[in-house]
């Protein structure tokens, strides 16, 4: 049995690229870029608030499929199209991680994103 298993979320793909949304190796979970794509439509909405909400819902779903929860996330890297979106991310961040004594490490980078995305995240998690 392979130690590594690809992780996918139905409706959220890297389009034509042969890249999974993430991978699980033993108890470690790594994501590729998770965007604010709506799994029902396969599209990234234009509304920044909705995009950021979807990013964090997609992280929850990703962790569920991986066999864990957001409590297992040890690090999140946030890629922002523009610094102006940081406050929207912080709102969802605090909803997902309300306890200031138990939050993952986080680093944010301003970067040109594709397909109309204003934010993407990558996570590293350790399952129990």
């Amino acid at each position: 049995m392979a130690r590594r298993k690809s992780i996918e979320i139905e409706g959220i793909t890297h389009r034509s690229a042969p890249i999974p949304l993430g991978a699980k190796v033993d108890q470690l979970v790594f994501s590729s870029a998770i965007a604010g794509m709506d799994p029902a439509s396969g599209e990234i909405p234009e509304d920044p608030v909705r995009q950021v909400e979807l990013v964090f819902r997609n992280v929850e779903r990703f962790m569920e499929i991986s066999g864990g929860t957001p409590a297992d996330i040890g690090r999140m890297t946030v890629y922002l199209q523009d610094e102006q979106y940081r406050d929207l991310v912080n709102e969802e961040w605090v909803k997902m991680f309300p306890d200031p004594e138990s939050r993952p490490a986080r680093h944010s980078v301003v970067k040109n994103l594709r397909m109309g995305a204003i934010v993407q995240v990558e996570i590293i998690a350790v399952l129990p």
Side-chain angles (χ1 to χ4, degrees):
M1 183 171 173
R3 290 181 58 214
R4 182 179 54 228
K5 182 177 187 296
S6 296
I7 302 166
E8 300 288 3
I9 298 176
E10 189 173 329
I12 301 176
T13 67
H14 282 97
R15 308 278 173 176
S16 61
I19 302 166
L21 194 58
K24 179 178 174 183
V25 180
D26 297 329
Q27 299 310 107
L28 296 175
V29 177
F30 306 89
S31 79
S32 298
I34 299 175
M37 186 175 286
D38 184 336
S41 68
E43 301 296 325
I44 296 175
E46 290 182 21
D47 177 34
V49 172
R50 182 68 181 139
Q51 257 196 66
V52 174
E53 288 172 350
L54 282 167
V55 165
F56 281 84
R57 295 310 70 78
N58 291 341
V59 166
E60 286 177 333
R61 184 71 181 124
F62 177 85
M63 288 306 301
E64 180 182 302
I65 291 168
S66 301
T69 71
D72 300 315
I73 298 171
R75 177 178 168 89
M76 182 182 288
T77 303
V78 178
Y79 299 97
L80 299 166
Q81 179 68 30
D82 190 289
E83 188 70 32
Q84 69 177 322
Y85 301 118
R86 184 182 296 269
D87 289 342
L88 294 176
V89 170
N90 286 340
E91 287 178 32
E92 291 299 317
W93 172 265
V94 170
K95 288 178 190 175
M96 181 171 278
F97 308 110
D99 181 357
E101 299 297 320
S102 179
R103 290 182 177 145
R106 183 177 121 184
H107 180 66
S108 297
V109 177
V110 175
K111 179 177 172 70
N112 189 30
L113 302 175
R114 294 180 279 188
M115 298 180 2
I118 59 146
V119 64
Q120 295 179 332
V121 301
E122 292 178 350
I123 60 172
I124 300 172
V126 181
L127 303 179

